[in-house]
Amino acid sequence: MKELKGKELLLVGFTLFSMFFGAGNLIFPPFTGAQAGTATWIAFAGLAVSAVGFPILGVVAVARSGGLDKLAGRVSTRFAAVFTFLIYLSIGPCLAIPRTASTSFEMAVTPFLGESAPAGMLQLIYSVLFFAAALALALQPERLTDRLGKVLCPILIALIVVLFVGCLVKPVGGYTVPTGNYTGNQAVRGFLDGYQTMDTIAALNFGIIIALNIKARGVEQEKSVVRGTIRAGWIAGAMLLVIYAMLAHIGAMAGGAFPGAANGAEILTKMVPAVFGTWGSAILAAVFVIACFNTCVGLISCCSEYFCGLFPRISYRWWAVFFAVVSMAVSNAGLNMILKVSVPVLNAIYPVAIVLILLSFCQKWLEGLRYVYPMAILFTGVSSVLSALRGASLLPSGVAELLVKAPLASMGLGWVIPAVLGAAIGILLSLVLGGRRTRLG
């Protein structure tokens, strides 16, 4: 019985890291550092929980449960179908895949354009080339370890290390007082901003492609594939933590030199050339293109695998083409528009994903208590959707004011108490009604 270990395990871990580390991963840690200033590492602790801890726990939870459909099926079959569908649309053509192209264009092309350049036309041309190349790799998902893990991931890591070392050797700016959203509750703010990497919901789906790559390396038994997936997850998590710390420090230094930046992309655009001169823009462009390209390939692959299984009459190849074309069209809306839309959607979905993952680690105590998952997810979902609608100013003022007064709502964690309450009610209902059942996954 072959087990994944040594160099092969490291390569699969690199592949998973490459799939995780895309647009949001480059944008948000520097922005956190720039705003948090002297409280950067307090904020970073919160960011690490939601942007590293939960994604890796998500990989483990899905691997141990036998797939996202079985994990979500502990709530109900209908919920599993709807939730999984929404997750794939979010990490697919609606948000995450288009963001890879729009972000890399903003970072790799826009800085080199003159004021009279036809930016719209150039972005269209760039997106066509970007998605054509990503599609070419995604058409063979079982070979991503050879292409992402062996080649692109080491190059990406080396370039980020160069940026970090440059900022240490030639420091520009310095840590300043916290500003913006980070003037208080920095750890909580960092936790909430970690949502924007989208990695927790992506983690629920990446297992499909990682399992394919593990099997392609001769690992056949399902238990060995699961163990290999979990170990690769821990490797990817450790790499994410280190790289995020480097980017947070760069952002914190930039906060003193270039205050008032609108996002992490702007911070890096100003900071890196200040350290490296004219070469800085080229290095940064390469970092963004490679990171976003890796993630784009991984997302197209896992979305295509899922929908091919859901609608087998359409081949994997055609699903990949479909997602590449649709994502290309959406990406031309621009980075700011995509980020504006992503915030309320992620605020609604993320808490549900977090609670589902946490419940999976309590499974041995919840075994057979049939109402725990449904009630916990119901209460969490209602709370997070209402909070997202309030954040988007889509609720009547009276309702919005009432929601703000809920426990922890002012900190952006209004879903926590409903989740705990729902789980408690689920336990009581199960005990009172005798609702024990066999394990679903």
Side-chain angles (χ1 to χ4, degrees):
M1 181 177 69
K2 182 175 180 179
E3 291 279 348
L4 194 69
K5 54 186 177 181
K7 181 179 179 181
E8 289 187 326
L9 176 60
L10 189 63
L11 286 175
V12 175
F14 273 30
T15 304
L16 183 55
F17 168 82
S18 298
M19 293 166 66
F20 272 130
F21 196 84
N25 310 75
L26 280 164
I27 290 173
F28 293 105
F31 195 45
T32 295
Q35 288 191 298
T38 54
T40 290
W41 302 111
I42 298 174
F44 181 79
L47 180 77
V49 172
S50 60
V52 179
F54 281 121
I56 302 311
L57 290 179
V59 171
V60 175
V62 171
R64 291 173 54 182
S65 302
L68 177 57
D69 56 340
K70 292 184 179 179
L71 175 59
R74 293 173 182 169
V75 180
S76 74
T77 304
R78 184 174 297 178
F79 169 82
V82 173
F83 181 70
T84 305
F85 189 77
L86 290 175
I87 287 289
Y88 274 104
L89 288 182
S90 296
I91 68 164
C94 294
L95 292 176
I97 298 179
R99 192 170 74 176
T100 61
S102 59
T103 302
S104 57
F105 176 82
E106 293 278 355
M107 298 302 299
V109 180
T110 300
F112 302 98
L113 297 180
E115 293 183 2
S116 60
M121 179 59 68
L122 290 174
Q123 182 171 7
L124 177 61
I125 295 172
Y126 174 86
S127 64
V128 170
L129 296 174
F130 182 89
F131 283 109
L135 175 62
L137 265 64
L139 289 177
Q140 293 182 299
E142 73 284 353
R143 297 188 62 186
L144 294 189
T145 296
D146 293 324
R147 293 168 175 177
L148 303 187
K150 278 186 178 180
V151 181
L152 294 177
C153 181
I155 294 174
L156 173 63
I157 293 173
L159 290 174
I160 294 175
V161 170
V162 167
L163 296 181
F164 176 67
V165 172
C167 289
L168 292 179
V169 174
K170 184 183 177 182
V172 176
Y175 288 43
T176 60
V177 296
T179 60
N181 293 329
Y182 284 86
T183 53
N185 295 321
Q186 290 90 0
V188 174
R189 190 68 250 173
F191 177 86
L192 295 176
D193 281 351
Y195 286 9
Q196 303 305 314
T197 65
M198 302 183 74
D199 282 346
T200 297
I201 57 177
L204 299 176
N205 307 286
F206 281 161
I208 294 177
I209 302 303
I210 293 302
L212 280 177
N213 281 266
I214 292 174
K215 291 176 181 177
R217 309 193 84 77
V219 180
E220 298 179 354
Q221 290 200 359
E222 193 60 35
K223 288 185 178 179
S224 297
V225 173
V226 170
R227 281 194 292 269
T229 302
I230 292 173
R231 290 168 182 169
W234 293 123
I235 292 173
M239 295 170 67
L240 285 171
L241 191 64
V242 172
I243 296 299
Y244 283 164
M246 292 180 182
L247 292 172
H249 172 73
I250 293 172
M253 296 296 288
F258 309 102
N263 54 51
E266 182 180 337
I267 289 168
L268 293 174
T269 301
K270 292 179 178 179
M271 183 66 171
V272 175
V275 175
F276 291 92
T278 54
W279 282 100
S281 297
I283 296 172
L284 191 60
V287 168
F288 268 85
V289 171
I290 294 173
C292 293
F293 182 79
N294 289 348
T295 298
C296 182
V297 173
L299 291 174
I300 290 176
S301 298
C302 68
C303 288
S304 301
E305 282 285 345
Y306 170 72
F307 280 93
C308 181
L310 201 61
F311 304 102
R313 291 186 178 182
I314 303 175
S315 69
Y316 170 91
R317 176 178 294 269
W318 284 111
W319 277 117
V321 171
F322 170 78
F323 286 123
V325 171
V326 172
S327 299
M328 180 197 69
V330 176
S331 71
N332 283 274
L335 177 59
N336 287 335
M337 179 60 69
I338 292 172
L339 293 178
K340 182 178 180 180
V341 173
S342 69
V343 171
V345 173
L346 293 175
N347 285 342
I349 294 178
Y350 237 78
V352 175
I354 289 173
V355 172
L356 193 61
I357 290 169
L358 292 177
L359 287 175
S360 75
F361 286 92
C362 302
Q363 182 62 18
K364 66 179 181 180
W365 297 289
L366 301 177
E367 188 67 53
L369 298 176
R370 65 175 304 174
Y371 294 108
V372 176
Y373 276 87
M375 295 305 294
I377 295 300
L378 174 63
F379 277 57
T380 304
V382 170
S383 175
S384 62
V385 169
L386 288 175
S387 178
L389 291 174
R390 178 181 63 80
S393 301
L394 296 176
L395 288 178
S397 58
V399 177
E401 291 174 3
L402 185 63
L403 288 175
V404 173
K405 297 178 181 179
L408 302 180
S410 61
M411 301 171 65
L413 297 173
W415 55 270
V416 172
I417 300 300
V420 174
L421 181 61
I425 293 174
I427 292 173
L428 290 175
L429 286 176
S430 299
L431 295 176
V432 171
L433 300 178
R436 303 190 71 87
R437 63 181 178 186
T438 57
R439 185 175 181 176
L440 292 177

